[in-house]
Structure formats: structure tokens, C-alpha cells
Amino acid sequence: FLTLVIVFLFLRNLSATLIACIAIPTSIISTFFIIDLLGYDLNRLTFIALTLSIGIFIDDAIVVIENIAKKLKTYPPLQTAFLGINEIGFSVLSISIVLLCVFIPISYMNSISGLFFNALGISVASGIVISFLVSVFLIPSIGARFLNPKENKFYE
């Protein structure tokens, strides 16, 4: 709820805020699925990993939505979503790869702390992969359908 309020204060557009906030539960539920597939249990470290990942989830979604909303005033909605993700998709991919380069080595440390942080590193890494997929596939398709480029009264 707090993320929804903060995103609305900065985006100042209700439809963009709702589309961005769809990314959070979609990514969290998908990350839970991957954590279960990999055989990890839900403990404090996996919940800390999901807490860290929420910022990544919303960040990827906002970057894509802002680029689509910027083009929505000049192009039709479906073309806008295609052009928007083509323009920003490589940047989102590079951000995701850099984050993976940080969190994957944490899970393969050869020490006592490495054994504890294995679940954290893998959980964040799977959340990053899911966030990339959500921001590249789901957010543009929802944005093409429901994104409203008009500013509301709060914007003024």
C-alpha cells in the first residue's frame, strides 16, 4: 500500500500507478513459485530477499511505463507499447544483468556465511529474472490497453 501511494505521488497518474503496482504481486507470486521449485523454504532470508526485490520489481515497471507514456501522445497504443519496450528493453536487460552479477556470487560463497546467504542470493536472482520478464512482456501489453496519458487534477 505504501508503495502504491509513493508511486502515485511521483507518477501522478492513476492508471500508470495501477499498472506499476500489478508488477509487484505478479513478480512476488512468481518468485515464490521459483523458490518452491528450487527447493528452498520460506524463512527470514527469503523474505528479506523478497523485500529487497520489491524495489527492483517496481523500478523496472516504472521505467517501462514512463517510456510508454511518453510516446502515447504521438502514436497509437499498440505501436506505443512496441516502440517503448524496443527503446528501453536493452536498458532494463542491462540493469537486470548487473544485479544478477551482484547477487549470484553471494549464493556461491565458500564459507559458513555463504551457506546462510545461498537462499538470499538465489531468491533475489530469481526475483530479478521474473521482474525483467514482467516488465518486458506483461507491463507493455497492459500499458497498451489501459494506460491513460491524460493527467488528473492532482497533476496540476
mmCIF file of all heavy atoms in Angstrom, residues 53-105:
data_model
loop_
_atom_site.group_PDB
_atom_site.id
_atom_site.type_symbol
_atom_site.label_atom_id
_atom_site.label_comp_id
_atom_site.label_asym_id
_atom_site.label_seq_id
_atom_site.Cartn_x
_atom_site.Cartn_y
_atom_site.Cartn_z
ATOM 1 N N SER A 53 13.790 -7.198 -3.252
ATOM 2 C CA SER A 53 13.367 -7.293 -4.650
ATOM 3 C C SER A 53 12.190 -6.397 -4.989
ATOM 4 O O SER A 53 11.983 -6.092 -6.163
ATOM 5 C CB SER A 53 13.016 -8.740 -4.981
ATOM 6 O OG SER A 53 14.128 -9.564 -4.805
ATOM 7 N N ILE A 54 11.405 -5.978 -4.014
ATOM 8 C CA ILE A 54 10.243 -5.140 -4.313
ATOM 9 C C ILE A 54 10.662 -3.845 -4.987
ATOM 10 O O ILE A 54 10.020 -3.382 -5.930
ATOM 11 C CB ILE A 54 9.414 -4.882 -3.036
ATOM 12 C CG1 ILE A 54 8.658 -6.149 -2.676
ATOM 13 C CG2 ILE A 54 8.431 -3.738 -3.232
ATOM 14 C CD1 ILE A 54 7.902 -6.070 -1.390
ATOM 15 N N GLY A 55 11.764 -3.273 -4.549
ATOM 16 C CA GLY A 55 12.273 -2.075 -5.209
ATOM 17 C C GLY A 55 12.655 -2.331 -6.652
ATOM 18 O O GLY A 55 12.435 -1.499 -7.529
ATOM 19 N N ILE A 56 13.228 -3.485 -6.912
ATOM 20 C CA ILE A 56 13.600 -3.857 -8.279
ATOM 21 C C ILE A 56 12.351 -4.083 -9.124
ATOM 22 O O ILE A 56 12.289 -3.656 -10.287
ATOM 23 C CB ILE A 56 14.497 -5.111 -8.258
ATOM 24 C CG1 ILE A 56 15.788 -4.819 -7.492
ATOM 25 C CG2 ILE A 56 14.804 -5.588 -9.664
ATOM 26 C CD1 ILE A 56 16.565 -6.049 -7.116
ATOM 27 N N PHE A 57 11.338 -4.738 -8.530
ATOM 28 C CA PHE A 57 10.098 -5.000 -9.259
ATOM 29 C C PHE A 57 9.463 -3.697 -9.730
ATOM 30 O O PHE A 57 9.082 -3.554 -10.891
ATOM 31 C CB PHE A 57 9.091 -5.743 -8.390
ATOM 32 C CG PHE A 57 9.526 -7.098 -7.914
ATOM 33 C CD1 PHE A 57 8.933 -7.657 -6.799
ATOM 34 C CD2 PHE A 57 10.506 -7.815 -8.561
ATOM 35 C CE1 PHE A 57 9.309 -8.902 -6.346
ATOM 36 C CE2 PHE A 57 10.894 -9.057 -8.116
ATOM 37 C CZ PHE A 57 10.287 -9.604 -7.001
ATOM 38 N N ILE A 58 9.330 -2.764 -8.815
ATOM 39 C CA ILE A 58 8.631 -1.519 -9.149
ATOM 40 C C ILE A 58 9.500 -0.629 -10.029
ATOM 41 O O ILE A 58 8.990 0.100 -10.884
ATOM 42 C CB ILE A 58 8.153 -0.799 -7.862
ATOM 43 C CG1 ILE A 58 7.065 0.215 -8.181
ATOM 44 C CG2 ILE A 58 9.273 -0.138 -7.135
ATOM 45 C CD1 ILE A 58 5.769 -0.372 -8.562
ATOM 46 N N ASP A 59 10.815 -0.692 -9.866
ATOM 47 C CA ASP A 59 11.709 0.127 -10.667
ATOM 48 C C ASP A 59 11.650 -0.254 -12.140
ATOM 49 O O ASP A 59 11.529 0.612 -13.013
ATOM 50 C CB ASP A 59 13.134 -0.009 -10.145
ATOM 51 C CG ASP A 59 14.125 0.791 -10.958
ATOM 52 O OD1 ASP A 59 13.875 2.001 -11.149
ATOM 53 O OD2 ASP A 59 15.146 0.225 -11.394
ATOM 54 N N ASP A 60 11.724 -1.541 -12.424
ATOM 55 C CA ASP A 60 11.642 -1.991 -13.821
ATOM 56 C C ASP A 60 10.304 -1.607 -14.446
ATOM 57 O O ASP A 60 10.244 -1.159 -15.595
ATOM 58 C CB ASP A 60 11.836 -3.503 -13.910
ATOM 59 C CG ASP A 60 13.264 -3.927 -13.633
ATOM 60 O OD1 ASP A 60 14.154 -3.056 -13.626
ATOM 61 O OD2 ASP A 60 13.492 -5.132 -13.421
ATOM 62 N N ALA A 61 9.233 -1.755 -13.682
ATOM 63 C CA ALA A 61 7.907 -1.428 -14.206
ATOM 64 C C ALA A 61 7.771 0.071 -14.478
ATOM 65 O O ALA A 61 7.230 0.472 -15.511
ATOM 66 C CB ALA A 61 6.831 -1.883 -13.229
ATOM 67 N N ILE A 62 8.275 0.910 -13.583
ATOM 68 C CA ILE A 62 8.150 2.360 -13.762
ATOM 69 C C ILE A 62 8.950 2.832 -14.963
ATOM 70 O O ILE A 62 8.491 3.695 -15.720
ATOM 71 C CB ILE A 62 8.571 3.098 -12.478
ATOM 72 C CG1 ILE A 62 7.509 2.911 -11.408
ATOM 73 C CG2 ILE A 62 8.795 4.578 -12.736
ATOM 74 C CD1 ILE A 62 7.890 3.467 -10.065
ATOM 75 N N VAL A 63 10.134 2.274 -15.158
ATOM 76 C CA VAL A 63 10.954 2.672 -16.306
ATOM 77 C C VAL A 63 10.222 2.383 -17.611
ATOM 78 O O VAL A 63 10.174 3.223 -18.520
ATOM 79 C CB VAL A 63 12.323 1.954 -16.257
ATOM 80 C CG1 VAL A 63 13.070 2.095 -17.562
ATOM 81 C CG2 VAL A 63 13.157 2.481 -15.119
ATOM 82 N N VAL A 64 9.620 1.212 -17.707
ATOM 83 C CA VAL A 64 8.903 0.839 -18.925
ATOM 84 C C VAL A 64 7.641 1.688 -19.094
ATOM 85 O O VAL A 64 7.344 2.181 -20.190
ATOM 86 C CB VAL A 64 8.583 -0.674 -18.915
ATOM 87 C CG1 VAL A 64 7.682 -1.045 -20.067
ATOM 88 C CG2 VAL A 64 9.861 -1.478 -18.959
ATOM 89 N N ILE A 65 6.893 1.891 -18.014
ATOM 90 C CA ILE A 65 5.646 2.663 -18.106
ATOM 91 C C ILE A 65 5.910 4.108 -18.495
ATOM 92 O O ILE A 65 5.197 4.680 -19.320
ATOM 93 C CB ILE A 65 4.880 2.589 -16.775
ATOM 94 C CG1 ILE A 65 4.267 1.206 -16.626
ATOM 95 C CG2 ILE A 65 3.780 3.632 -16.703
ATOM 96 C CD1 ILE A 65 3.686 0.961 -15.271
ATOM 97 N N GLU A 66 6.933 4.716 -17.926
ATOM 98 C CA GLU A 66 7.241 6.106 -18.262
ATOM 99 C C GLU A 66 7.635 6.247 -19.727
ATOM 100 O O GLU A 66 7.252 7.218 -20.389
ATOM 101 C CB GLU A 66 8.364 6.636 -17.364
ATOM 102 C CG GLU A 66 7.896 7.045 -16.013
ATOM 103 C CD GLU A 66 6.936 8.219 -16.083
ATOM 104 O OE1 GLU A 66 7.223 9.207 -16.771
ATOM 105 O OE2 GLU A 66 5.876 8.119 -15.458
ATOM 106 N N ASN A 67 8.379 5.298 -20.253
ATOM 107 C CA ASN A 67 8.766 5.378 -21.659
ATOM 108 C C ASN A 67 7.569 5.185 -22.569
ATOM 109 O O ASN A 67 7.442 5.841 -23.603
ATOM 110 C CB ASN A 67 9.852 4.353 -21.954
ATOM 111 C CG ASN A 67 10.581 4.666 -23.231
ATOM 112 O OD1 ASN A 67 10.700 5.828 -23.622
ATOM 113 N ND2 ASN A 67 11.073 3.649 -23.882
ATOM 114 N N ILE A 68 6.662 4.292 -22.192
ATOM 115 C CA ILE A 68 5.454 4.084 -22.992
ATOM 116 C C ILE A 68 4.541 5.303 -22.906
ATOM 117 O O ILE A 68 3.991 5.754 -23.913
ATOM 118 C CB ILE A 68 4.728 2.798 -22.554
ATOM 119 C CG1 ILE A 68 5.563 1.576 -22.942
ATOM 120 C CG2 ILE A 68 3.351 2.699 -23.181
ATOM 121 C CD1 ILE A 68 5.038 0.280 -22.386
ATOM 122 N N ALA A 69 4.385 5.854 -21.714
ATOM 123 C CA ALA A 69 3.500 7.010 -21.534
ATOM 124 C C ALA A 69 4.017 8.235 -22.281
ATOM 125 O O ALA A 69 3.232 9.051 -22.771
ATOM 126 C CB ALA A 69 3.362 7.332 -20.052
ATOM 127 N N LYS A 70 5.320 8.358 -22.397
ATOM 128 C CA LYS A 70 5.906 9.479 -23.121
ATOM 129 C C LYS A 70 5.560 9.427 -24.606
ATOM 130 O O LYS A 70 5.321 10.446 -25.238
ATOM 131 C CB LYS A 70 7.426 9.468 -22.921
ATOM 132 C CG LYS A 70 8.156 10.632 -23.531
ATOM 133 C CD LYS A 70 9.634 10.590 -23.166
ATOM 134 C CE LYS A 70 10.265 9.305 -23.626
ATOM 135 N NZ LYS A 70 11.728 9.262 -23.429
ATOM 136 N N LYS A 71 5.497 8.238 -25.166
ATOM 137 C CA LYS A 71 5.216 8.075 -26.593
ATOM 138 C C LYS A 71 3.726 7.988 -26.909
ATOM 139 O O LYS A 71 3.335 8.068 -28.062
ATOM 140 C CB LYS A 71 5.906 6.815 -27.106
ATOM 141 C CG LYS A 71 7.398 6.883 -27.026
ATOM 142 C CD LYS A 71 7.992 5.624 -27.559
ATOM 143 C CE LYS A 71 9.478 5.644 -27.517
ATOM 144 N NZ LYS A 71 10.132 6.866 -27.861
ATOM 145 N N LEU A 72 2.904 7.820 -25.876
ATOM 146 C CA LEU A 72 1.482 7.583 -26.085
ATOM 147 C C LEU A 72 0.765 8.786 -26.685
ATOM 148 O O LEU A 72 -0.294 8.643 -27.270
ATOM 149 C CB LEU A 72 0.819 7.181 -24.767
ATOM 150 C CG LEU A 72 -0.517 6.469 -24.849
ATOM 151 C CD1 LEU A 72 -0.420 5.227 -25.698
ATOM 152 C CD2 LEU A 72 -0.987 6.106 -23.459
ATOM 153 N N LYS A 73 1.334 9.962 -26.577
ATOM 154 C CA LYS A 73 0.692 11.165 -27.105
ATOM 155 C C LYS A 73 0.850 11.298 -28.616
ATOM 156 O O LYS A 73 0.128 12.047 -29.252
ATOM 157 C CB LYS A 73 1.258 12.390 -26.406
ATOM 158 C CG LYS A 73 0.946 12.396 -24.934
ATOM 159 C CD LYS A 73 1.608 13.523 -24.204
ATOM 160 C CE LYS A 73 1.282 13.417 -22.724
ATOM 161 N NZ LYS A 73 2.030 14.347 -21.907
ATOM 162 N N THR A 74 1.805 10.555 -29.197
ATOM 163 C CA THR A 74 2.055 10.703 -30.631
ATOM 164 C C THR A 74 1.730 9.466 -31.458
ATOM 165 O O THR A 74 1.553 9.584 -32.662
ATOM 166 C CB THR A 74 3.530 11.073 -30.873
ATOM 167 O OG1 THR A 74 4.366 10.087 -30.275
ATOM 168 C CG2 THR A 74 3.850 12.432 -30.275
ATOM 169 N N TYR A 75 1.674 8.283 -30.831
ATOM 170 C CA TYR A 75 1.452 7.040 -31.564
ATOM 171 C C TYR A 75 0.222 6.325 -31.026
ATOM 172 O O TYR A 75 -0.204 6.579 -29.911
ATOM 173 C CB TYR A 75 2.666 6.105 -31.427
ATOM 174 C CG TYR A 75 3.932 6.642 -32.031
ATOM 175 C CD1 TYR A 75 4.962 7.104 -31.223
ATOM 176 C CD2 TYR A 75 4.109 6.675 -33.402
ATOM 177 C CE1 TYR A 75 6.136 7.589 -31.767
ATOM 178 C CE2 TYR A 75 5.279 7.154 -33.959
ATOM 179 C CZ TYR A 75 6.294 7.615 -33.138
ATOM 180 O OH TYR A 75 7.442 8.097 -33.677
ATOM 181 N N PRO A 76 -0.361 5.417 -31.810
ATOM 182 C CA PRO A 76 -1.462 4.591 -31.288
ATOM 183 C C PRO A 76 -0.951 3.656 -30.181
ATOM 184 O O PRO A 76 0.240 3.361 -30.124
ATOM 185 C CB PRO A 76 -1.945 3.807 -32.504
ATOM 186 C CG PRO A 76 -0.975 4.028 -33.579
ATOM 187 C CD PRO A 76 -0.117 5.185 -33.232
ATOM 188 N N PRO A 77 -1.847 3.184 -29.313
ATOM 189 C CA PRO A 77 -1.407 2.451 -28.115
ATOM 190 C C PRO A 77 -0.566 1.203 -28.370
ATOM 191 O O PRO A 77 0.444 1.008 -27.703
ATOM 192 C CB PRO A 77 -2.718 2.077 -27.427
ATOM 193 C CG PRO A 77 -3.704 3.068 -27.901
ATOM 194 C CD PRO A 77 -3.284 3.430 -29.291
ATOM 195 N N LEU A 78 -0.944 0.350 -29.313
ATOM 196 C CA LEU A 78 -0.185 -0.870 -29.537
ATOM 197 C C LEU A 78 1.204 -0.563 -30.090
ATOM 198 O O LEU A 78 2.201 -1.154 -29.668
ATOM 199 C CB LEU A 78 -0.956 -1.793 -30.490
ATOM 200 C CG LEU A 78 -0.401 -3.197 -30.642
ATOM 201 C CD1 LEU A 78 -0.399 -3.908 -29.290
ATOM 202 C CD2 LEU A 78 -1.195 -3.978 -31.650
ATOM 203 N N GLN A 79 1.283 0.380 -31.003
ATOM 204 C CA GLN A 79 2.580 0.778 -31.543
ATOM 205 C C GLN A 79 3.426 1.457 -30.466
ATOM 206 O O GLN A 79 4.643 1.303 -30.431
ATOM 207 C CB GLN A 79 2.385 1.715 -32.734
ATOM 208 C CG GLN A 79 3.666 2.055 -33.445
ATOM 209 C CD GLN A 79 3.420 2.958 -34.646
ATOM 210 O OE1 GLN A 79 2.304 3.382 -34.885
ATOM 211 N NE2 GLN A 79 4.468 3.246 -35.370
ATOM 212 N N THR A 80 2.775 2.184 -29.577
ATOM 213 C CA THR A 80 3.485 2.836 -28.487
ATOM 214 C C THR A 80 4.146 1.812 -27.573
ATOM 215 O O THR A 80 5.303 1.982 -27.173
ATOM 216 C CB THR A 80 2.513 3.699 -27.665
ATOM 217 O OG1 THR A 80 1.936 4.672 -28.523
ATOM 218 C CG2 THR A 80 3.199 4.359 -26.514
ATOM 219 N N ALA A 81 3.419 0.767 -27.230
ATOM 220 C CA ALA A 81 3.989 -0.276 -26.366
ATOM 221 C C ALA A 81 5.165 -0.960 -27.043
ATOM 222 O O ALA A 81 6.192 -1.219 -26.418
ATOM 223 C CB ALA A 81 2.920 -1.289 -26.004
ATOM 224 N N PHE A 82 5.040 -1.226 -28.332
ATOM 225 C CA PHE A 82 6.130 -1.864 -29.071
ATOM 226 C C PHE A 82 7.345 -0.953 -29.159
ATOM 227 O O PHE A 82 8.475 -1.379 -28.897
ATOM 228 C CB PHE A 82 5.635 -2.252 -30.467
ATOM 229 C CG PHE A 82 6.678 -2.936 -31.290
ATOM 230 C CD1 PHE A 82 7.022 -4.257 -31.029
ATOM 231 C CD2 PHE A 82 7.312 -2.277 -32.326
ATOM 232 C CE1 PHE A 82 7.988 -4.894 -31.771
ATOM 233 C CE2 PHE A 82 8.274 -2.909 -33.081
ATOM 234 C CZ PHE A 82 8.609 -4.220 -32.811
ATOM 235 N N LEU A 83 7.133 0.307 -29.508
ATOM 236 C CA LEU A 83 8.255 1.247 -29.597
ATOM 237 C C LEU A 83 8.877 1.517 -28.237
ATOM 238 O O LEU A 83 10.105 1.638 -28.112
ATOM 239 C CB LEU A 83 7.785 2.566 -30.221
ATOM 240 C CG LEU A 83 7.424 2.543 -31.698
ATOM 241 C CD1 LEU A 83 6.846 3.890 -32.127
ATOM 242 C CD2 LEU A 83 8.644 2.202 -32.529
ATOM 243 N N GLY A 84 8.033 1.612 -27.216
ATOM 244 C CA GLY A 84 8.538 1.899 -25.882
ATOM 245 C C GLY A 84 9.422 0.797 -25.339
ATOM 246 O O GLY A 84 10.483 1.068 -24.772
ATOM 247 N N ILE A 85 9.018 -0.457 -25.517
ATOM 248 C CA ILE A 85 9.834 -1.549 -24.998
ATOM 249 C C ILE A 85 11.051 -1.793 -25.881
ATOM 250 O O ILE A 85 12.103 -2.223 -25.392
ATOM 251 C CB ILE A 85 9.008 -2.833 -24.786
ATOM 252 C CG1 ILE A 85 9.745 -3.796 -23.856
ATOM 253 C CG2 ILE A 85 8.665 -3.498 -26.081
ATOM 254 C CD1 ILE A 85 10.025 -3.259 -22.510
ATOM 255 N N ASN A 86 10.959 -1.507 -27.167
ATOM 256 C CA ASN A 86 12.138 -1.616 -28.026
ATOM 257 C C ASN A 86 13.208 -0.615 -27.622
ATOM 258 O O ASN A 86 14.394 -0.904 -27.691
ATOM 259 C CB ASN A 86 11.766 -1.392 -29.492
ATOM 260 C CG ASN A 86 11.420 -2.673 -30.189
ATOM 261 O OD1 ASN A 86 11.660 -3.750 -29.673
ATOM 262 N ND2 ASN A 86 10.839 -2.557 -31.358
ATOM 263 N N GLU A 87 12.769 0.558 -27.235
ATOM 264 C CA GLU A 87 13.725 1.613 -26.871
ATOM 265 C C GLU A 87 14.371 1.371 -25.512
ATOM 266 O O GLU A 87 15.552 1.636 -25.330
ATOM 267 C CB GLU A 87 13.001 2.965 -26.867
ATOM 268 C CG GLU A 87 13.903 4.148 -26.639
ATOM 269 C CD GLU A 87 13.124 5.430 -26.764
ATOM 270 O OE1 GLU A 87 12.637 5.714 -27.877
ATOM 271 O OE2 GLU A 87 13.020 6.141 -25.748
ATOM 272 N N ILE A 88 13.611 0.868 -24.568
ATOM 273 C CA ILE A 88 14.098 0.779 -23.193
ATOM 274 C C ILE A 88 14.437 -0.656 -22.781
ATOM 275 O O ILE A 88 15.043 -0.869 -21.731
ATOM 276 C CB ILE A 88 13.064 1.409 -22.232
ATOM 277 C CG1 ILE A 88 13.720 1.883 -20.945
ATOM 278 C CG2 ILE A 88 11.953 0.451 -21.906
ATOM 279 C CD1 ILE A 88 14.446 3.145 -21.085
ATOM 280 N N GLY A 89 14.094 -1.635 -23.611
ATOM 281 C CA GLY A 89 14.290 -3.039 -23.249
ATOM 282 C C GLY A 89 15.734 -3.408 -22.984
ATOM 283 O O GLY A 89 16.038 -4.155 -22.054
ATOM 284 N N PHE A 90 16.670 -2.867 -23.768
ATOM 285 C CA PHE A 90 18.077 -3.192 -23.561
ATOM 286 C C PHE A 90 18.593 -2.600 -22.260
ATOM 287 O O PHE A 90 19.413 -3.209 -21.575
ATOM 288 C CB PHE A 90 18.918 -2.690 -24.746
ATOM 289 C CG PHE A 90 20.339 -3.145 -24.683
ATOM 290 C CD1 PHE A 90 20.661 -4.468 -24.940
ATOM 291 C CD2 PHE A 90 21.351 -2.261 -24.350
ATOM 292 C CE1 PHE A 90 21.975 -4.897 -24.872
ATOM 293 C CE2 PHE A 90 22.653 -2.683 -24.281
ATOM 294 C CZ PHE A 90 22.979 -4.006 -24.543
ATOM 295 N N SER A 91 18.092 -1.433 -21.896
ATOM 296 C CA SER A 91 18.497 -0.827 -20.623
ATOM 297 C C SER A 91 17.992 -1.654 -19.445
ATOM 298 O O SER A 91 18.720 -1.856 -18.468
ATOM 299 C CB SER A 91 17.966 0.598 -20.513
ATOM 300 O OG SER A 91 18.491 1.398 -21.529
ATOM 301 N N VAL A 92 16.756 -2.113 -19.520
ATOM 302 C CA VAL A 92 16.211 -2.951 -18.453
ATOM 303 C C VAL A 92 16.985 -4.271 -18.382
ATOM 304 O O VAL A 92 17.280 -4.774 -17.291
ATOM 305 C CB VAL A 92 14.701 -3.191 -18.672
ATOM 306 C CG1 VAL A 92 14.138 -4.178 -17.665
ATOM 307 C CG2 VAL A 92 13.939 -1.884 -18.606
ATOM 308 N N LEU A 93 17.359 -4.812 -19.529
ATOM 309 C CA LEU A 93 18.159 -6.038 -19.550
ATOM 310 C C LEU A 93 19.519 -5.815 -18.914
ATOM 311 O O LEU A 93 19.993 -6.635 -18.120
ATOM 312 C CB LEU A 93 18.316 -6.542 -20.986
ATOM 313 C CG LEU A 93 19.211 -7.769 -21.180
ATOM 314 C CD1 LEU A 93 18.587 -8.984 -20.512
ATOM 315 C CD2 LEU A 93 19.470 -8.014 -22.654
ATOM 316 N N SER A 94 20.166 -4.698 -19.228
ATOM 317 C CA SER A 94 21.490 -4.443 -18.659
ATOM 318 C C SER A 94 21.424 -4.215 -17.152
ATOM 319 O O SER A 94 22.302 -4.673 -16.414
ATOM 320 C CB SER A 94 22.152 -3.252 -19.359
ATOM 321 O OG SER A 94 21.412 -2.072 -19.141
ATOM 322 N N ILE A 95 20.376 -3.540 -16.674
ATOM 323 C CA ILE A 95 20.201 -3.367 -15.225
ATOM 324 C C ILE A 95 20.021 -4.724 -14.560
ATOM 325 O O ILE A 95 20.616 -4.999 -13.513
ATOM 326 C CB ILE A 95 19.000 -2.447 -14.934
ATOM 327 C CG1 ILE A 95 19.299 -1.017 -15.346
ATOM 328 C CG2 ILE A 95 18.608 -2.500 -13.466
ATOM 329 C CD1 ILE A 95 18.082 -0.117 -15.348
ATOM 330 N N SER A 96 19.227 -5.584 -15.170
ATOM 331 C CA SER A 96 18.985 -6.910 -14.595
ATOM 332 C C SER A 96 20.252 -7.752 -14.574
ATOM 333 O O SER A 96 20.523 -8.456 -13.592
ATOM 334 C CB SER A 96 17.890 -7.631 -15.379
ATOM 335 O OG SER A 96 16.687 -6.917 -15.308
ATOM 336 N N ILE A 97 21.040 -7.675 -15.623
ATOM 337 C CA ILE A 97 22.284 -8.460 -15.668
ATOM 338 C C ILE A 97 23.275 -7.965 -14.619
ATOM 339 O O ILE A 97 23.944 -8.771 -13.951
ATOM 340 C CB ILE A 97 22.891 -8.435 -17.089
ATOM 341 C CG1 ILE A 97 22.029 -9.277 -18.015
ATOM 342 C CG2 ILE A 97 24.322 -8.947 -17.088
ATOM 343 C CD1 ILE A 97 22.428 -9.218 -19.465
ATOM 344 N N VAL A 98 23.375 -6.657 -14.436
ATOM 345 C CA VAL A 98 24.274 -6.120 -13.410
ATOM 346 C C VAL A 98 23.833 -6.576 -12.021
ATOM 347 O O VAL A 98 24.657 -6.978 -11.189
ATOM 348 C CB VAL A 98 24.339 -4.578 -13.504
ATOM 349 C CG1 VAL A 98 24.982 -3.979 -12.275
ATOM 350 C CG2 VAL A 98 25.088 -4.155 -14.748
ATOM 351 N N LEU A 99 22.528 -6.539 -11.764
ATOM 352 C CA LEU A 99 22.036 -7.004 -10.466
ATOM 353 C C LEU A 99 22.276 -8.503 -10.275
ATOM 354 O O LEU A 99 22.594 -8.952 -9.171
ATOM 355 C CB LEU A 99 20.554 -6.684 -10.322
ATOM 356 C CG LEU A 99 20.229 -5.204 -10.125
ATOM 357 C CD1 LEU A 99 18.728 -4.973 -10.231
ATOM 358 C CD2 LEU A 99 20.753 -4.721 -8.800
ATOM 359 N N LEU A 100 22.135 -9.272 -11.336
ATOM 360 C CA LEU A 100 22.430 -10.703 -11.245
ATOM 361 C C LEU A 100 23.911 -10.936 -10.959
ATOM 362 O O LEU A 100 24.265 -11.857 -10.214
ATOM 363 C CB LEU A 100 22.023 -11.417 -12.530
ATOM 364 C CG LEU A 100 20.530 -11.622 -12.738
ATOM 365 C CD1 LEU A 100 20.265 -12.197 -14.126
ATOM 366 C CD2 LEU A 100 19.945 -12.508 -11.670
ATOM 367 N N CYS A 101 24.782 -10.104 -11.543
ATOM 368 C CA CYS A 101 26.219 -10.227 -11.291
ATOM 369 C C CYS A 101 26.581 -9.895 -9.848
ATOM 370 O O CYS A 101 27.629 -10.299 -9.365
ATOM 371 C CB CYS A 101 27.006 -9.322 -12.235
ATOM 372 S SG CYS A 101 26.991 -9.878 -13.932
ATOM 373 N N VAL A 102 25.735 -9.161 -9.169
ATOM 374 C CA VAL A 102 25.966 -8.852 -7.762
ATOM 375 C C VAL A 102 25.433 -9.965 -6.858
ATOM 376 O O VAL A 102 26.114 -10.385 -5.923
ATOM 377 C CB VAL A 102 25.307 -7.502 -7.392
ATOM 378 C CG1 VAL A 102 25.320 -7.277 -5.904
ATOM 379 C CG2 VAL A 102 25.995 -6.357 -8.111
ATOM 380 N N PHE A 103 24.231 -10.458 -7.127
ATOM 381 C CA PHE A 103 23.579 -11.368 -6.191
ATOM 382 C C PHE A 103 23.884 -12.840 -6.409
ATOM 383 O O PHE A 103 23.816 -13.629 -5.462
ATOM 384 C CB PHE A 103 22.060 -11.143 -6.194
ATOM 385 C CG PHE A 103 21.663 -9.915 -5.446
ATOM 386 C CD1 PHE A 103 21.269 -8.776 -6.120
ATOM 387 C CD2 PHE A 103 21.704 -9.893 -4.068
ATOM 388 C CE1 PHE A 103 20.917 -7.637 -5.424
ATOM 389 C CE2 PHE A 103 21.352 -8.763 -3.365
ATOM 390 C CZ PHE A 103 20.961 -7.631 -4.049
ATOM 391 N N ILE A 104 24.211 -13.267 -7.599
ATOM 392 C CA ILE A 104 24.518 -14.686 -7.813
ATOM 393 C C ILE A 104 25.818 -15.097 -7.119
ATOM 394 O O ILE A 104 25.862 -16.157 -6.483
ATOM 395 C CB ILE A 104 24.511 -15.031 -9.318
ATOM 396 C CG1 ILE A 104 23.071 -15.028 -9.808
ATOM 397 C CG2 ILE A 104 25.147 -16.393 -9.574
ATOM 398 C CD1 ILE A 104 22.896 -15.326 -11.260
ATOM 399 N N PRO A 105 26.888 -14.295 -7.167
ATOM 400 C CA PRO A 105 28.094 -14.713 -6.421
ATOM 401 C C PRO A 105 27.887 -14.807 -4.910
ATOM 402 O O PRO A 105 28.579 -15.584 -4.244
ATOM 403 C CB PRO A 105 29.121 -13.621 -6.760
ATOM 404 C CG PRO A 105 28.689 -13.098 -8.068
ATOM 405 C CD PRO A 105 27.193 -13.154 -8.030
#
